[in-house]
Structures are given as C-alpha cells and as structure tokens.
Amino acid sequence: MDSSQEVRSGGAILDGKMREKTLTMDTLNPQVKAVEYAVRGPIVTKAGDIERGLQQGQKHPFTEVIKANIGDSHAMGQKPITFLRQVVALCSFPELLNSPSFPEDAKQRARRILQGCGGQSLGVYSIASQGVDCIRQDVAVYIEQRDKGVPADWDNIYLTTGASDGIVSILKMLVSGQGRSRSGVMIPIPQYPLYSAAISELEAVQINYYLDEDNCWALDINELHRAYQAAKEHCHPRVICIINPGNPTGQVQSRKCIEDVLHFAYEENLFVMSDEVYQDNVYSPDLQFHSFKKVLYEMGPEYFNTVELASFHSTSKGYSGECGFRGGYMEVLNLDLEVKAQLVKLLSVRLCPPVSGQAAMDVIVNPPLPHEPSYLQFHKEKSAVLGALAEKAQVTEQTLNTVPGIKCNPVQGAMYAFPRIFIPPRAVEEAKSLGMSPDMMYCLRLLEETGICLVPGSGFGQREGTYHFRMTILPTTEKLKVLLEKLRDFHIKFLKEYASLEEPKR
C-alpha cells in the first residue's frame, strides 16, 4: 500500500474500503495518555525543532540552543572518568587485558567482573536477575563503608536499569486496592516527574506534600501529617517518597528532618522510598549527605528492624554522569520473605539490567584505593567535576538573585536550580487565554527569543499562584554565564512588556 493512502482518521484505504487501525487514541490505554514527563516535554521538542532549523540555515536571534533542561552531564561537555571507562572497555574487549596500556587495578576489576558473567562476557544476561553477584557484593561493601559500619547484606541489593527502573518496580509492588483502599503514594512537591508519571501509569493515588520554599525547600513534618490525614479520606496511604539531595529543588535534608520522616513512617506504617542518586553532589560546606538507612540504624533496632526502606543510587549522576550506561542499584530492607520472592519474580521478567551498566556501577562503588596506580588520576578527575559543579551552583544562585523578580534558594546539592519567578498579571492572563500555564508560556518565549531551553515549574508541581523553572548547572562555566546573562536580559524585558502597577515580588 502506498504511504499516500494513509489518512488521518486512524485508518487506511485498502481495496477501496476503510480499514480502521486497532490502536487509536480512542483505544489507547488511558493511563498512558495520563502520563506526563516535563523534562522531555513540548519545550524540549520545540528546542529540537529549532536546533535542526539552525543546522539547515534558518535564521533565529541566536546561533545555538543551550539545553539546560535535563541532568545529562556528558551532553553538556563533562568528560568521562578515565578509570570507569577503562574498566568497562576491558570488560567489553577482554583481549585488552594483556595490553600494557591499561593499569593493573583496572585489569583486576575487569577480570573479577568477567568471572561473574556467564561465558566471561558483558554480552550475556547476568545469571541472577538481581545482577552479577560480585557487583552486588561490592555495592554492599560500599554502603557499609559509606554508612560508617552499618551492616549491609548483599542479598538485599538489586542492580537496576538506572534508579528509575528500581523506583518503578517498587511502586508496582505497592499499588493495590480499589476505591478508598487504593494505594496512595506521598511525593514531594516540587517532584521529579518520574514519580507522578509512574503513579498515573499504575493508577495509584498521588498524595502531594509541599516542601517549604521559604526555608530552603526543607521538609516540614507538620506538612506530612496534613497531607496524610487529608489523603486518608479517599485512599490508603502506603508509601512516602523522598528525594535527597533534591530534584528539582537542590536542597540537602538535615539529619533531624530525615529522623522525623522515619519516625512518621514508623508511626503510620508507611513504606519509605529514598531517592539518593545525588548523594555525591553536596556543595554547601556546612552540609553533608545522610543516608536514610544510616539514620534508621542510629534510631535503634525497633526502627531499623521494622521500617521497610528502599534506597536508590545510579551511575547517571554524582561525579561520573554516565547516563547512557543505565546503571543503578537499590537496597531494600525489611521485606516480607514471600514478598521478596515476588520482587525477584517481577525483576526476572526483564531478565537483567544492562551488564555494561552493572560494570559501570561497580566502578562507582569500588573506585581506586589510595595505594593503587589509578588513584591519583581518579581523585583528580572526581574532585575537578565536583569542584566545578560547586562553583557553578554558587554562580547560578548569586546571579539569579540579582535579577528583579527572580528569587533562587541556595543550590545546596544535586544539579539544578529551581528559582521562583514573578510573572505579571497581564502575562498570566495571556497564558490562560492561550490554554497554557504561565511558566510554560514564559519558558517558550525564552526559548524562541534566546535559544535557552529550561523546564517550566508546572511540570514538577508548585504551590498555587507561584511560578518557577528548573535549570541544570551542567553547562560549562563559560556557557552557563552566557545563559544567565541572556536569561537576565530576557526576564527584565519580559517584565517591562507586561508591566503593571504591581511591583515584582522578591
């Protein structure tokens, strides 16, 4: 059939008759239609169209699109960590194990990983759906060292396709019931849209608890109680999700805050999901990362042996930024033994995570030691990445706070700023007349006039009447300064265009 015979009505002409397509927007799973993921939403699609147009010679008031919409470090120019790539290369091409070009510590790790793979090849499925045994063992050792001796059992470690795979798998396990007994999932607002998307797809009930913007996006225990009690009227709250350090908000939660959350979960019998993929990304010198597991252990056996906790980590963030390997792990504590068998069954359906990603995860949890030949270079590269991010976090916060009508909390960690922007009432009304959120219109105008691609705050959730955008701090320092300068000029112009008697709110 000629492609010209395809018609927009959802069918095709065959022998003079209309044959309807089986899958149309009317027959599509409604939960798929309900899924939204702002990080790759319409703004990003538009940015791609503009970028292709620039390559084809189309004229715009700028020469390049600066993408600050997604936490993809290497796409923004970050160089790979040499040692990690060496180990993965040796695993991929075992014949290189005899090459003098590679250091012995990289060869040693590669040999150990390959011995754990059937056929000593990264091209196999890992024997266990939970991942290669020796890598899970290395993850357990890493956690024990990170948490200053808190015991870790490698049988509780599950390697995953990025952290996202683990998060969705655990949510699948938790969603059940109908009507008022349907599972409710407590998520922070603002949130990473993976959570709302998964909740929609699974037909769970989203329970919003709001972070305190006036207190550096801290988590308020009174807000947790409010959200929980309100949700009990229409669903069964069963799980609370925390992102620490925060995405999109960049805050680092205090130990006291974490203890309050765990006590709340203990009292209300909630499963705790702790998204800790940015645990290496802490920039404020007076703050540090506290794992939920360590705090739970320090609260005593009554808590540590009872609260169900899943913690997640990834190769995609931190200092490595290896998004494409899709490596990650989760540690799951205090699962019922029969439920644990069901989790293994669920994971076995996808056979295993990418074994190359498992190898990359192994390097992150088992990096060179001070006495090994690769240590100095590894430490230098890691420190350079984290140092540059800390500098860019400070530059971003300070610059944004010089712009009238923009207020940015300290970027304490992670890879993002989430500033509040004043949008004049006339602009709000215009956006509503166009059927879009005001911050969507703002970000669309920003893209069309400057080539800067950000994500509107409405894609992450925000308090009614407030507007934000999320931007990464990943562009090179030079490009970040260009971005911030263009953003400042645009915002001032935008305020003048829609000026009213009301002053911008700081």
Side-chain angles (χ1 to χ4, degrees):
M1 181 178 63
D2 190 87
S3 60
S4 65
Q5 292 178 293
E6 295 285 349
V7 293
R8 287 184 174 274
S9 60
I13 299 172
L14 187 63
D15 295 332
K17 297 180 180 179
M18 177 65 68
R19 184 184 184 279
E20 292 296 321
K21 290 186 179 292
T22 301
L23 183 61
T24 68
M25 288 301 293
D26 290 333
T27 61
L28 180 67
N29 183 334
Q31 270 55 62
V32 173
K33 287 191 278 189
V35 168
E36 294 184 1
Y37 188 64
V39 174
R40 290 182 181 267
I43 295 279
V44 183
T45 302
K46 177 78 171 177
D49 292 341
I50 292 174
E51 203 165 33
R52 284 186 290 275
L54 285 169
Q55 293 167 357
Q56 295 166 7
Q58 292 179 9
K59 298 298 182 183
H60 289 273
F62 46 85
T63 57
E64 67 171 336
V65 173
I66 302 177
K67 292 181 179 177
N69 62 292
I70 193 168
D72 190 348
S73 302
H74 291 200
M76 300 308 298
Q78 180 179 313
K79 301 301 181 186
I81 297 296
T82 301
F83 186 75
L84 187 151
R85 289 296 182 91
Q86 286 175 330
V87 173
V88 174
L90 288 165
C91 289
S92 301
F93 301 98
E95 61 271 19
L96 295 176
L97 287 166
N98 295 320
S99 169
S101 302
F102 291 84
E104 284 304 315
D105 48 352
K107 293 178 182 179
Q108 178 266 326
R109 282 163 177 76
R111 289 189 185 100
R112 182 166 178 268
I113 292 168
L114 288 172
Q115 286 169 4
C117 298
Q120 298 202 12
S121 169
L122 284 193
V124 302
Y125 296 127
S126 54
I127 297 169
S129 295
Q130 303 97 305
V132 176
D133 284 356
C134 68
I135 300 177
R136 295 166 64 206
Q137 291 161 5
D138 287 345
V139 171
V141 171
Y142 162 80
I143 292 171
E144 202 162 303
Q145 292 173 344
R146 179 200 67 189
D147 291 342
K148 307 295 191 291
V150 177
D153 182 349
W154 70 275
D155 193 47
N156 293 330
I157 306 297
Y158 305 81
L159 302 181
T160 56
T161 307
S164 302
D165 170 48
I167 290 165
V168 173
S169 295
I170 294 296
L171 285 174
K172 284 180 181 178
M173 301 285 290
L174 285 158
V175 175
S176 65
Q178 299 295 329
R180 290 185 62 177
S181 67
R182 189 65 173 169
S183 296
V185 181
M186 300 183 69
I187 64 171
I189 297 297
Q191 52 104 22
Y192 176 51
L194 164 70
Y195 291 92
S196 54
I199 290 167
S200 293
E201 185 178 354
L202 297 170
E203 293 186 86
V205 179
Q206 180 173 315
I207 305 170
N208 296 339
Y209 66 87
Y210 289 88
L211 301 175
D212 185 357
E213 183 171 11
D214 294 332
N215 190 24
C216 286
W217 298 111
L219 201 159
D220 180 4
I221 193 66
N222 294 321
E223 170 63 10
L224 290 186
H225 284 289
R226 180 208 62 78
Y228 177 83
Q229 293 300 329
K232 283 173 64 178
E233 298 297 319
H234 60 272
C235 70
H236 179 192
R238 299 187 65 205
V239 56
I240 180 169
C241 304
I242 303 94
I243 309 171
N244 181 49
N247 176 8
T249 43
Q251 85 287 7
V252 178
Q253 298 293 0
S254 68
R255 189 194 181 287
K256 172 66 165 57
C257 169
I258 294 170
E259 188 171 324
D260 287 344
V261 172
L262 289 169
H263 180 74
F264 169 74
Y266 174 84
E267 292 293 323
E268 304 298 353
N269 198 27
L270 294 173
F271 193 107
V272 179
M273 296 176 63
S274 181
D275 183 338
E276 299 175 344
V277 301
Y278 298 100
Q279 58 189 261
D280 286 312
N281 300 103
V282 177
Y283 312 126
S284 297
D286 54 341
L287 296 174
Q288 65 181 95
F289 168 75
H290 299 277
S291 77
F292 268 69
K293 181 190 178 183
K294 183 173 185 285
V295 175
L296 186 65
Y297 180 82
E298 293 169 347
M299 291 172 71
E302 182 180 0
Y303 290 87
F304 187 66
N305 296 328
T306 56
V307 173
E308 294 151 286
L309 169 67
S311 304
F312 307 90
H313 197 15
S314 169
T315 62
S316 302
K317 310 304 176 186
Y319 57 87
S320 63
E322 293 283 9
C323 301
F325 277 116
R326 307 308 299 134
Y329 75 75
M330 61 181 176
E331 182 184 26
V332 189
L333 302 180
N334 297 318
L335 270 192
D336 175 273
L337 289 179
E338 290 183 329
V339 170
K340 190 171 185 176
Q342 293 295 311
L343 175 59
V344 172
K345 179 186 74 174
L346 178 65
L347 297 177
S348 71
V349 173
R350 50 87 157 129
L351 294 173
C352 72
V355 181
S356 56
Q358 296 184 47
M361 191 76 247
D362 188 73
V363 178
I364 290 170
V365 299
N366 184 24
L369 299 173
H371 66 275
E372 293 183 307
S374 299
Y375 177 78
L376 289 179
Q377 182 181 11
F378 171 82
H379 185 265
K380 180 181 178 181
E381 292 176 353
K382 175 182 175 181
S383 298
V385 169
L386 294 177
L389 286 171
E391 178 187 343
K392 290 187 285 188
Q394 189 174 37
V395 167
T396 300
E397 174 204 340
Q398 291 175 347
T399 304
L400 289 174
N401 281 327
T402 66
V403 184
I406 296 183
K407 183 180 185 301
C408 183
N409 274 322
V411 182
Q412 299 172 337
M415 297 176 171
Y416 316 98
F418 195 70
R420 182 171 177 175
I421 53 175
F422 172 72
I423 297 183
R426 283 181 53 210
V428 172
E429 290 304 314
E430 181 175 321
K432 289 179 179 176
S433 72
L434 295 170
M436 65 176 69
S437 65
D439 49 13
M440 172 66 83
M441 184 182 84
Y442 178 95
C443 288
L444 189 59
R445 285 276 306 272
L446 177 69
L447 172 64
E448 292 171 340
E449 295 180 26
T450 71
I452 295 170
C453 179
L454 309 179
V455 188
S458 50
F460 302 89
Q462 54 198 351
R463 284 194 180 276
E464 186 72 26
T466 68
Y467 308 106
H468 303 78
F469 59 74
R470 189 191 81 163
M471 61 168 286
T472 72
I473 59 170
L474 295 176
T476 62
T477 302
E478 294 73 20
K479 190 162 288 189
L480 181 64
K481 288 178 179 177
V482 170
L483 183 159
L484 291 169
E485 183 178 342
K486 285 187 170 187
L487 176 58
R488 177 176 59 241
D489 293 345
F490 168 83
H491 188 78
I492 292 171
K493 176 174 172 286
F494 186 86
L495 291 182
K496 287 180 180 177
E497 180 180 345
Y498 293 98
S500 67
L501 295 177
E502 186 174 347
E503 289 297 317
K505 298 174 183 175
R506 294 292 298 173

